[in-house]
Amino acid sequence: MKKYDVIIIGGGHAGTEACLASARCGSNTLLITQNFKTIGQMSCNPSIGGIGKGHLTKEVDALGGVMARAADASGIHFRTLNKKKGPAVWATRSQADRDLYKAFIQKEIKGQFGLEVLDGEVIDIIIKNNIICGVELNDGTTIETKNVILTAGTFLSGMIHIGNKSFSAGRIGEDASNKLSKRMQDLDLMMGRLKTGTPPRLNGNTINYKNLIEQPGDEPRPVFSFIGKESDHPKQIKCYIARTNEKTHEYIRKSLDNSPLFNGVITGKGPRYCPSIEDKVIRFSEKKSHQIFLEPEGLNTNLVYPNGISTSLPEEDQEKFIRTISGLENVKIENFGYAIEYDFFDPRGLTSFLENKKIEGLFMAGQINGTTGYEEAASQGILAGINASMKSQDKDMWSPSRENSYIGVMVDDLITQGAPEPYRMFTSRAEHRLYLREDNADERLTAIGAKLGSVNRERLDVYNDKKDQINRELIRLKELKFNENNKVISASDFLKRPSTTYSRLSDFIPDFDNKNSKVGESCAIRIKYEGYIARQNLEVKRNKKDEEMKLPKIINYSSISALSKEARENLDIARPQNLRQASRVPGVTPAAISILKVQIKAIKNNKKEMAQDAK
């Protein structure tokens, strides 16, 4: 076998973005997956985006990734969430046709120059002196490389639970990676167990839609990719809303003894923000009902995904409680819901480049880092793919910051705080969210992607053209004046008001040219947030000098008695690279940061004295 610059293990959402990014950046790349036909598969809900997740998808797109374009090519129901709130937290979401999404991803991978795919199972990662040397397949073949990206998802020692039944699997119908998991455990990298789940799949032909609330998509439809358009979308269909009731909850309570979540079989921590229906019924016992979104899985299938009732109850109990729900009295269950436990690595063992701190050349991305969701996985995948490629070419790697991206927020959270539960992105996690909007993700990241090589010339030209149009329109809006209540104001000043919109300018200016409304809307958002962002940038600038102070690798946190025990232990695990990262570590207070500053100065002075003595 020939040698590769970068090898990616696993063809899920993290793996696909990683291999495509690595190849786009100029590295000879190999993707190893158990079965090419499952690449791009949406193992849980076939949807992309949502609160916080839409921002990540747009950022992946701005860096040249594939997820947003695949969402546009397969999306059968589009909405913008949070529309009643400010533009900073507007979130695009699409329901996807599973087959169309998978076909788009596979086509991209087949057409990517510099990328090869191999069907096989990796059973060992070859390491010498804590440096990656290659991988070994289950047939004994070894392949040389200096850089490996592990994106195994839920496959490392994956265990599926349905009631009292438990069996080994990476996801339903696919084998777990038990040998590789055992090998990783031998490396003494901080590992743990997490849990996620999925609801049963319903036969849409057996649902009584007359008793359900209709949920149409938005018109005009949002578009995910910055180079996409509405005409990229396939046929659009409706979704529906159902609700559980007290009878549903009663059946679930009676079944808890058979639930692996409640009888001690499952030990892994599950996602707090996407709980099973069993969890909801117990944790929110005061609620008489819970909402269920009935979302079709495609244009050419009758399968419906009941979003909101993830469960691992026995099959007969799933049937009982589902048929208590209005509209689902006679529903046929095509596939039963299940929970899955899997191994993950404590992300505090990673650098901000997503490279393992102990093993040089080993990058990790996706659910194995303690995250949940396609979008979180894809974001890590594209970052790991870029950095593995940079490392293979002896170039500087890139780490996104909290100030410029949600990807930066996520990575910083993970490497400083770990993943005590599956991590999910929300806009509330970002302190700079007024600037980190969906509409300006390309402004924040596309030029960076172009320098790194993950963004091609065509995409960069589209971005530069949009940037020029926005700059011209901002100048025009400042110069454009009109009379309001006997007072002359500029269009720009008008748009600074909270309730005004770009389209309303035509009410005051009869011949107002608003042909490019998308550019105009972007300008209106910028104008509204202009003052807030200026203050935010000033604050960031003021704090940056202190925050960027690097923490020496030799620092011995356990010996700093002035720090609390919690701070010492967590700093020793996270080994932050600078004071900003240290400030995010649990137990590290502003007083602790002051103590660390003293330590940095002491170590620097000691080095100077040693250098002078040597002379």
Side-chain angles (χ1 to χ4, degrees), residues 500-555:
T500 55
T501 61
Y502 183 77
S503 60
R504 279 200 63 205
L505 284 169
S506 57
D507 295 341
F508 299 90
I509 309 170
D511 58 346
F512 180 65
D513 179 8
N514 61 353
K515 287 176 186 174
N516 198 338
S517 59
K518 283 190 177 179
V519 167
E521 286 162 7
S522 289
C523 290
I525 293 169
R526 286 159 195 255
I527 290 166
K528 274 183 176 53
Y529 286 131
E530 198 172 39
Y532 299 105
I533 291 168
R535 285 198 295 273
Q536 179 182 286
N537 289 341
L538 196 63
E539 186 184 337
V540 169
K541 206 172 183 180
R542 201 164 43 233
N543 296 334
K544 204 165 189 180
K545 190 177 179 183
D546 277 354
E547 289 179 343
E548 287 185 346
M549 285 180 72
K550 290 186 177 179
L551 286 159
K553 289 182 180 179
I554 61 168
I555 196 165

Short mmCIF file of all heavy atoms in Angstrom, two decimals, residues 500-555:
data_model
loop_
_atom_site.label_atom_id
_atom_site.label_comp_id
_atom_site.label_asym_id
_atom_site.label_seq_id
_atom_site.Cartn_x
_atom_site.Cartn_y
_atom_site.Cartn_z
N THR A 500 -37.18 48.64 12.65
CA THR A 500 -37.17 48.95 11.21
C THR A 500 -36.54 47.81 10.40
O THR A 500 -35.72 47.06 10.90
CB THR A 500 -36.39 50.25 10.94
OG1 THR A 500 -35.08 50.12 11.50
CG2 THR A 500 -37.10 51.44 11.55
N THR A 501 -36.95 47.72 9.13
CA THR A 501 -36.39 46.71 8.23
C THR A 501 -36.00 47.37 6.91
O THR A 501 -36.47 48.47 6.58
CB THR A 501 -37.41 45.60 7.94
OG1 THR A 501 -38.56 46.17 7.30
CG2 THR A 501 -37.84 44.89 9.23
N TYR A 502 -35.17 46.68 6.17
CA TYR A 502 -34.72 47.20 4.87
C TYR A 502 -35.90 47.40 3.93
O TYR A 502 -35.97 48.41 3.21
CB TYR A 502 -33.71 46.22 4.29
CG TYR A 502 -33.09 46.65 2.98
CD1 TYR A 502 -32.10 47.61 2.94
CD2 TYR A 502 -33.50 46.06 1.77
CE1 TYR A 502 -31.52 48.01 1.75
CE2 TYR A 502 -32.92 46.44 0.57
CZ TYR A 502 -31.93 47.42 0.57
OH TYR A 502 -31.36 47.80 -0.63
N SER A 503 -36.83 46.47 3.93
CA SER A 503 -37.97 46.56 3.00
C SER A 503 -38.86 47.77 3.29
O SER A 503 -39.54 48.28 2.40
CB SER A 503 -38.81 45.28 3.06
OG SER A 503 -39.31 45.08 4.36
N ARG A 504 -38.86 48.26 4.54
CA ARG A 504 -39.72 49.40 4.90
C ARG A 504 -39.23 50.72 4.31
O ARG A 504 -39.97 51.71 4.29
CB ARG A 504 -39.80 49.53 6.43
CG ARG A 504 -40.81 48.58 7.06
CD ARG A 504 -41.21 49.05 8.44
NE ARG A 504 -41.88 50.34 8.40
CZ ARG A 504 -41.91 51.21 9.42
NH1 ARG A 504 -41.28 50.91 10.54
NH2 ARG A 504 -42.54 52.37 9.31
N LEU A 505 -38.00 50.75 3.83
CA LEU A 505 -37.49 51.98 3.23
C LEU A 505 -38.32 52.42 2.03
O LEU A 505 -38.46 53.61 1.75
CB LEU A 505 -36.02 51.81 2.82
CG LEU A 505 -35.00 51.85 3.97
CD1 LEU A 505 -33.63 51.39 3.48
CD2 LEU A 505 -34.91 53.25 4.56
N SER A 506 -38.90 51.45 1.33
CA SER A 506 -39.73 51.79 0.16
C SER A 506 -41.01 52.52 0.56
O SER A 506 -41.63 53.19 -0.28
CB SER A 506 -40.08 50.52 -0.63
OG SER A 506 -40.74 49.59 0.20
N ASP A 507 -41.42 52.44 1.84
CA ASP A 507 -42.59 53.20 2.30
C ASP A 507 -42.30 54.69 2.37
O ASP A 507 -43.21 55.52 2.26
CB ASP A 507 -43.01 52.73 3.71
CG ASP A 507 -43.49 51.29 3.73
OD1 ASP A 507 -43.83 50.78 2.63
OD2 ASP A 507 -43.50 50.68 4.81
N PHE A 508 -41.03 55.05 2.53
CA PHE A 508 -40.64 56.46 2.67
C PHE A 508 -39.97 57.00 1.41
O PHE A 508 -39.94 58.20 1.18
CB PHE A 508 -39.68 56.62 3.86
CG PHE A 508 -40.29 56.20 5.18
CD1 PHE A 508 -40.17 54.89 5.63
CD2 PHE A 508 -40.99 57.12 5.95
CE1 PHE A 508 -40.73 54.51 6.83
CE2 PHE A 508 -41.56 56.74 7.16
CZ PHE A 508 -41.43 55.43 7.61
N ILE A 509 -39.39 56.07 0.63
CA ILE A 509 -38.70 56.48 -0.60
C ILE A 509 -39.37 55.76 -1.76
O ILE A 509 -39.08 54.58 -2.02
CB ILE A 509 -37.20 56.12 -0.53
CG1 ILE A 509 -36.58 56.64 0.78
CG2 ILE A 509 -36.44 56.69 -1.74
CD1 ILE A 509 -35.19 56.12 1.05
N PRO A 510 -40.29 56.40 -2.48
CA PRO A 510 -41.10 55.74 -3.52
C PRO A 510 -40.28 55.01 -4.59
O PRO A 510 -40.65 53.93 -5.04
CB PRO A 510 -41.90 56.90 -4.13
CG PRO A 510 -41.94 57.93 -3.04
CD PRO A 510 -40.65 57.82 -2.30
N ASP A 511 -39.16 55.60 -5.02
CA ASP A 511 -38.36 54.97 -6.09
C ASP A 511 -37.16 54.21 -5.53
O ASP A 511 -36.15 54.04 -6.21
CB ASP A 511 -37.90 56.05 -7.08
CG ASP A 511 -37.08 57.14 -6.40
OD1 ASP A 511 -37.09 57.20 -5.14
OD2 ASP A 511 -36.41 57.93 -7.11
N PHE A 512 -37.28 53.74 -4.29
CA PHE A 512 -36.16 53.05 -3.64
C PHE A 512 -35.81 51.76 -4.38
O PHE A 512 -36.67 50.91 -4.63
CB PHE A 512 -36.52 52.73 -2.18
CG PHE A 512 -35.42 52.02 -1.44
CD1 PHE A 512 -34.20 52.63 -1.20
CD2 PHE A 512 -35.61 50.72 -0.98
CE1 PHE A 512 -33.20 51.97 -0.51
CE2 PHE A 512 -34.61 50.06 -0.28
CZ PHE A 512 -33.40 50.69 -0.06
N ASP A 513 -34.54 51.62 -4.76
CA ASP A 513 -34.07 50.43 -5.49
C ASP A 513 -33.67 49.35 -4.48
O ASP A 513 -32.66 49.46 -3.81
CB ASP A 513 -32.86 50.82 -6.35
CG ASP A 513 -32.30 49.63 -7.11
OD1 ASP A 513 -32.94 48.56 -7.09
OD2 ASP A 513 -31.21 49.76 -7.72
N ASN A 514 -34.49 48.30 -4.38
CA ASN A 514 -34.17 47.21 -3.44
C ASN A 514 -34.15 45.86 -4.17
O ASN A 514 -34.64 44.86 -3.67
CB ASN A 514 -35.16 47.17 -2.28
CG ASN A 514 -36.59 46.93 -2.73
OD1 ASN A 514 -36.86 46.92 -3.93
ND2 ASN A 514 -37.48 46.71 -1.79
N LYS A 515 -33.57 45.86 -5.37
CA LYS A 515 -33.52 44.64 -6.17
C LYS A 515 -32.78 43.51 -5.44
O LYS A 515 -33.20 42.37 -5.46
CB LYS A 515 -32.84 44.93 -7.52
CG LYS A 515 -33.71 45.73 -8.47
CD LYS A 515 -32.95 46.06 -9.74
CE LYS A 515 -33.77 46.99 -10.64
NZ LYS A 515 -32.97 47.43 -11.81
N ASN A 516 -31.65 43.85 -4.82
CA ASN A 516 -30.89 42.83 -4.10
C ASN A 516 -31.23 42.90 -2.62
O ASN A 516 -30.49 43.47 -1.81
CB ASN A 516 -29.38 43.03 -4.33
CG ASN A 516 -28.60 41.77 -3.97
OD1 ASN A 516 -29.07 40.93 -3.21
ND2 ASN A 516 -27.40 41.65 -4.53
N SER A 517 -32.37 42.32 -2.28
CA SER A 517 -32.86 42.43 -0.90
C SER A 517 -31.96 41.69 0.09
O SER A 517 -31.85 42.09 1.25
CB SER A 517 -34.30 41.91 -0.80
OG SER A 517 -34.36 40.56 -1.22
N LYS A 518 -31.31 40.59 -0.33
CA LYS A 518 -30.43 39.84 0.58
C LYS A 518 -29.26 40.70 1.04
O LYS A 518 -28.90 40.70 2.22
CB LYS A 518 -29.92 38.57 -0.10
CG LYS A 518 -30.97 37.45 -0.14
CD LYS A 518 -30.36 36.15 -0.58
CE LYS A 518 -31.41 35.03 -0.54
NZ LYS A 518 -30.85 33.74 -0.98
N VAL A 519 -28.66 41.42 0.09
CA VAL A 519 -27.56 42.32 0.45
C VAL A 519 -28.08 43.42 1.37
O VAL A 519 -27.46 43.77 2.37
CB VAL A 519 -26.93 42.93 -0.83
CG1 VAL A 519 -26.01 44.10 -0.47
CG2 VAL A 519 -26.16 41.87 -1.59
N GLY A 520 -29.26 43.96 1.05
CA GLY A 520 -29.86 45.02 1.86
C GLY A 520 -30.15 44.55 3.28
O GLY A 520 -29.90 45.28 4.25
N GLU A 521 -30.67 43.34 3.41
CA GLU A 521 -30.97 42.80 4.74
C GLU A 521 -29.69 42.61 5.56
O GLU A 521 -29.66 42.87 6.76
CB GLU A 521 -31.72 41.47 4.62
CG GLU A 521 -33.17 41.65 4.18
CD GLU A 521 -33.78 40.36 3.63
OE1 GLU A 521 -33.11 39.31 3.72
OE2 GLU A 521 -34.90 40.42 3.09
N SER A 522 -28.62 42.15 4.89
CA SER A 522 -27.33 42.02 5.58
C SER A 522 -26.83 43.37 6.07
O SER A 522 -26.31 43.48 7.19
CB SER A 522 -26.28 41.39 4.65
OG SER A 522 -26.56 40.05 4.42
N CYS A 523 -27.00 44.39 5.24
CA CYS A 523 -26.59 45.74 5.62
C CYS A 523 -27.39 46.23 6.83
O CYS A 523 -26.83 46.83 7.76
CB CYS A 523 -26.78 46.71 4.46
SG CYS A 523 -25.64 46.44 3.08
N ALA A 524 -28.70 45.99 6.81
CA ALA A 524 -29.57 46.43 7.91
C ALA A 524 -29.14 45.79 9.23
O ALA A 524 -29.13 46.45 10.28
CB ALA A 524 -31.02 46.10 7.59
N ILE A 525 -28.80 44.51 9.19
CA ILE A 525 -28.36 43.80 10.40
C ILE A 525 -27.05 44.40 10.92
O ILE A 525 -26.89 44.66 12.12
CB ILE A 525 -28.20 42.30 10.13
CG1 ILE A 525 -29.57 41.66 9.85
CG2 ILE A 525 -27.53 41.60 11.31
CD1 ILE A 525 -29.50 40.24 9.32
N ARG A 526 -26.12 44.66 10.01
CA ARG A 526 -24.83 45.25 10.40
C ARG A 526 -25.02 46.62 11.06
O ARG A 526 -24.39 46.94 12.07
CB ARG A 526 -23.92 45.40 9.18
CG ARG A 526 -23.35 44.11 8.67
CD ARG A 526 -22.91 44.27 7.23
NE ARG A 526 -22.69 42.96 6.64
CZ ARG A 526 -21.50 42.44 6.40
NH1 ARG A 526 -20.42 43.12 6.71
NH2 ARG A 526 -21.37 41.26 5.87
N ILE A 527 -25.89 47.42 10.44
CA ILE A 527 -26.13 48.77 10.96
C ILE A 527 -26.73 48.72 12.36
O ILE A 527 -26.35 49.47 13.24
CB ILE A 527 -27.05 49.55 9.98
CG1 ILE A 527 -26.28 49.87 8.69
CG2 ILE A 527 -27.58 50.83 10.63
CD1 ILE A 527 -27.16 50.33 7.54
N LYS A 528 -27.67 47.80 12.57
CA LYS A 528 -28.33 47.68 13.88
C LYS A 528 -27.34 47.28 14.99
O LYS A 528 -27.41 47.77 16.11
CB LYS A 528 -29.44 46.64 13.81
CG LYS A 528 -30.77 47.21 13.34
CD LYS A 528 -31.85 46.17 13.36
CE LYS A 528 -33.19 46.78 12.98
NZ LYS A 528 -33.19 47.51 11.72
N TYR A 529 -26.42 46.39 14.67
CA TYR A 529 -25.50 45.87 15.67
C TYR A 529 -24.17 46.63 15.73
O TYR A 529 -23.31 46.31 16.55
CB TYR A 529 -25.21 44.39 15.40
CG TYR A 529 -26.35 43.47 15.76
CD1 TYR A 529 -26.81 42.50 14.87
CD2 TYR A 529 -26.97 43.54 17.01
CE1 TYR A 529 -27.84 41.64 15.20
CE2 TYR A 529 -28.01 42.70 17.34
CZ TYR A 529 -28.44 41.75 16.45
OH TYR A 529 -29.47 40.91 16.78
N GLU A 530 -24.03 47.64 14.87
CA GLU A 530 -22.76 48.36 14.73
C GLU A 530 -22.18 48.84 16.06
O GLU A 530 -21.03 48.56 16.40
CB GLU A 530 -23.01 49.57 13.81
CG GLU A 530 -21.78 50.17 13.21
CD GLU A 530 -22.18 51.22 12.18
OE1 GLU A 530 -23.16 51.97 12.40
OE2 GLU A 530 -21.52 51.27 11.14
N GLY A 531 -23.00 49.54 16.86
CA GLY A 531 -22.52 50.10 18.12
C GLY A 531 -22.16 49.03 19.13
O GLY A 531 -21.13 49.11 19.80
N TYR A 532 -23.01 47.98 19.21
CA TYR A 532 -22.76 46.89 20.16
C TYR A 532 -21.46 46.17 19.84
O TYR A 532 -20.66 45.85 20.72
CB TYR A 532 -23.91 45.87 20.12
CG TYR A 532 -25.26 46.43 20.51
CD1 TYR A 532 -26.22 46.69 19.54
CD2 TYR A 532 -25.57 46.70 21.84
CE1 TYR A 532 -27.47 47.19 19.88
CE2 TYR A 532 -26.82 47.21 22.20
CZ TYR A 532 -27.76 47.45 21.22
OH TYR A 532 -28.98 47.95 21.56
N ILE A 533 -21.26 45.91 18.54
CA ILE A 533 -20.08 45.16 18.12
C ILE A 533 -18.81 45.98 18.33
O ILE A 533 -17.76 45.45 18.71
CB ILE A 533 -20.22 44.69 16.65
CG1 ILE A 533 -21.32 43.62 16.57
CG2 ILE A 533 -18.91 44.16 16.11
CD1 ILE A 533 -21.77 43.28 15.19
N ALA A 534 -18.89 47.30 18.11
CA ALA A 534 -17.73 48.17 18.33
C ALA A 534 -17.30 48.10 19.80
O ALA A 534 -16.11 48.00 20.11
CB ALA A 534 -18.07 49.61 17.95
N ARG A 535 -18.29 48.14 20.72
CA ARG A 535 -17.98 48.05 22.15
C ARG A 535 -17.40 46.67 22.49
O ARG A 535 -16.45 46.56 23.28
CB ARG A 535 -19.23 48.32 22.99
CG ARG A 535 -19.64 49.77 23.04
CD ARG A 535 -20.59 50.05 24.20
NE ARG A 535 -21.86 49.38 24.06
CZ ARG A 535 -22.90 49.88 23.41
NH1 ARG A 535 -22.80 51.06 22.79
NH2 ARG A 535 -24.04 49.21 23.33
N GLN A 536 -17.96 45.66 21.88
CA GLN A 536 -17.49 44.29 22.12
C GLN A 536 -16.04 44.13 21.66
O GLN A 536 -15.21 43.55 22.37
CB GLN A 536 -18.40 43.33 21.36
CG GLN A 536 -18.02 41.87 21.48
CD GLN A 536 -18.95 41.00 20.66
OE1 GLN A 536 -20.09 40.77 21.03
NE2 GLN A 536 -18.48 40.53 19.51
N ASN A 537 -15.73 44.67 20.47
CA ASN A 537 -14.38 44.56 19.92
C ASN A 537 -13.36 45.29 20.81
O ASN A 537 -12.22 44.85 20.96
CB ASN A 537 -14.33 45.12 18.50
CG ASN A 537 -15.04 44.21 17.51
OD1 ASN A 537 -15.25 43.03 17.80
ND2 ASN A 537 -15.41 44.73 16.37
N LEU A 538 -13.80 46.43 21.37
CA LEU A 538 -12.93 47.19 22.26
C LEU A 538 -12.60 46.38 23.51
O LEU A 538 -11.45 46.33 23.96
CB LEU A 538 -13.64 48.50 22.66
CG LEU A 538 -12.76 49.60 23.26
CD1 LEU A 538 -11.72 50.09 22.27
CD2 LEU A 538 -13.64 50.76 23.73
N GLU A 539 -13.61 45.70 24.02
CA GLU A 539 -13.44 44.86 25.21
C GLU A 539 -12.50 43.69 24.92
O GLU A 539 -11.62 43.36 25.71
CB GLU A 539 -14.80 44.35 25.67
CG GLU A 539 -14.77 43.60 26.98
CD GLU A 539 -16.12 43.02 27.35
OE1 GLU A 539 -17.15 43.54 26.86
OE2 GLU A 539 -16.14 42.03 28.10
N VAL A 540 -12.70 43.07 23.75
CA VAL A 540 -11.85 41.94 23.35
C VAL A 540 -10.40 42.39 23.22
O VAL A 540 -9.48 41.71 23.70
CB VAL A 540 -12.34 41.34 22.01
CG1 VAL A 540 -11.32 40.36 21.45
CG2 VAL A 540 -13.69 40.66 22.19
N LYS A 541 -10.21 43.56 22.61
CA LYS A 541 -8.87 44.09 22.41
C LYS A 541 -8.18 44.38 23.75
O LYS A 541 -6.99 44.10 23.94
CB LYS A 541 -8.96 45.39 21.59
CG LYS A 541 -7.73 45.72 20.79
CD LYS A 541 -8.02 46.90 19.88
CE LYS A 541 -6.81 47.19 19.00
NZ LYS A 541 -7.08 48.34 18.10
N ARG A 542 -8.97 44.92 24.68
CA ARG A 542 -8.44 45.28 25.99
C ARG A 542 -7.97 44.05 26.77
O ARG A 542 -6.98 44.07 27.48
CB ARG A 542 -9.54 46.03 26.76
CG ARG A 542 -9.00 46.88 27.89
CD ARG A 542 -10.02 47.90 28.40
NE ARG A 542 -11.36 47.36 28.54
CZ ARG A 542 -12.44 47.90 28.01
NH1 ARG A 542 -12.33 49.00 27.27
NH2 ARG A 542 -13.64 47.38 28.20
N ASN A 543 -8.72 42.96 26.62
CA ASN A 543 -8.41 41.74 27.39
C ASN A 543 -7.40 40.82 26.70
O ASN A 543 -6.86 39.91 27.34
CB ASN A 543 -9.69 40.94 27.64
CG ASN A 543 -10.68 41.72 28.49
OD1 ASN A 543 -10.28 42.58 29.27
ND2 ASN A 543 -11.96 41.42 28.35
N LYS A 544 -7.18 41.06 25.40
CA LYS A 544 -6.43 40.09 24.60
C LYS A 544 -4.99 39.90 25.07
O LYS A 544 -4.48 38.78 25.12
CB LYS A 544 -6.43 40.52 23.13
CG LYS A 544 -6.22 39.35 22.19
CD LYS A 544 -6.58 39.72 20.77
CE LYS A 544 -6.56 38.48 19.90
NZ LYS A 544 -6.92 38.78 18.52
N LYS A 545 -4.33 41.00 25.46
CA LYS A 545 -2.91 40.91 25.83
C LYS A 545 -2.71 39.95 26.99
O LYS A 545 -1.83 39.08 26.96
CB LYS A 545 -2.39 42.30 26.18
CG LYS A 545 -0.88 42.34 26.34
CD LYS A 545 -0.39 43.75 26.61
CE LYS A 545 1.12 43.75 26.80
NZ LYS A 545 1.61 45.12 27.12
N ASP A 546 -3.52 40.12 28.03
CA ASP A 546 -3.41 39.23 29.20
C ASP A 546 -3.81 37.80 28.85
O ASP A 546 -3.14 36.84 29.24
CB ASP A 546 -4.30 39.73 30.34
CG ASP A 546 -3.61 40.82 31.15
OD1 ASP A 546 -2.43 41.08 30.88
OD2 ASP A 546 -4.27 41.41 32.03
N GLU A 547 -4.93 37.67 28.09
CA GLU A 547 -5.46 36.33 27.80
C GLU A 547 -4.52 35.49 26.96
O GLU A 547 -4.50 34.28 27.06
CB GLU A 547 -6.81 36.46 27.08
CG GLU A 547 -7.93 36.95 27.99
CD GLU A 547 -9.25 37.07 27.25
OE1 GLU A 547 -9.22 37.10 25.99
OE2 GLU A 547 -10.29 37.16 27.92
N GLU A 548 -3.70 36.15 26.11
CA GLU A 548 -2.81 35.41 25.21
C GLU A 548 -1.49 35.02 25.87
O GLU A 548 -0.65 34.39 25.24
CB GLU A 548 -2.55 36.23 23.94
CG GLU A 548 -3.77 36.25 23.01
CD GLU A 548 -3.49 36.95 21.70
OE1 GLU A 548 -2.46 37.65 21.60
OE2 GLU A 548 -4.31 36.81 20.78
N MET A 549 -1.31 35.40 27.14
CA MET A 549 -0.09 34.99 27.87
C MET A 549 -0.03 33.47 27.89
O MET A 549 -0.96 32.80 28.36
CB MET A 549 -0.10 35.54 29.29
CG MET A 549 0.20 37.02 29.38
SD MET A 549 0.16 37.63 31.09
CE MET A 549 1.66 36.90 31.74
N LYS A 550 1.04 32.89 27.36
CA LYS A 550 1.15 31.44 27.26
C LYS A 550 1.55 30.83 28.59
O LYS A 550 2.38 31.39 29.32
CB LYS A 550 2.16 31.06 26.17
CG LYS A 550 1.66 31.36 24.78
CD LYS A 550 2.60 30.86 23.71
CE LYS A 550 2.03 31.12 22.31
NZ LYS A 550 2.94 30.64 21.25
N LEU A 551 0.95 29.68 28.89
CA LEU A 551 1.31 28.94 30.09
C LEU A 551 2.41 27.94 29.75
O LEU A 551 2.23 27.10 28.86
CB LEU A 551 0.08 28.20 30.63
CG LEU A 551 -0.95 29.11 31.32
CD1 LEU A 551 -2.32 28.44 31.34
CD2 LEU A 551 -0.51 29.45 32.72
N PRO A 552 3.55 28.02 30.40
CA PRO A 552 4.66 27.10 30.08
C PRO A 552 4.25 25.64 30.26
O PRO A 552 3.51 25.31 31.20
CB PRO A 552 5.74 27.49 31.10
CG PRO A 552 5.40 28.88 31.53
CD PRO A 552 3.91 28.97 31.47
N LYS A 553 4.73 24.78 29.37
CA LYS A 553 4.38 23.36 29.47
C LYS A 553 4.92 22.72 30.74
O LYS A 553 4.39 21.73 31.22
CB LYS A 553 4.92 22.61 28.24
CG LYS A 553 4.18 22.95 26.96
CD LYS A 553 4.73 22.16 25.78
CE LYS A 553 3.97 22.50 24.51
NZ LYS A 553 4.49 21.77 23.33
N ILE A 554 5.99 23.32 31.30
CA ILE A 554 6.63 22.71 32.47
C ILE A 554 5.91 23.06 33.79
O ILE A 554 6.29 22.56 34.84
CB ILE A 554 8.10 23.14 32.58
CG1 ILE A 554 8.20 24.68 32.75
CG2 ILE A 554 8.91 22.67 31.39
CD1 ILE A 554 9.58 25.16 33.16
N ILE A 555 4.92 23.93 33.73
CA ILE A 555 4.27 24.39 34.95
C ILE A 555 3.65 23.20 35.71
O ILE A 555 2.99 22.35 35.12
CB ILE A 555 3.19 25.46 34.64
CG1 ILE A 555 2.79 26.22 35.90
CG2 ILE A 555 1.99 24.88 33.97
CD1 ILE A 555 2.01 27.51 35.60
#
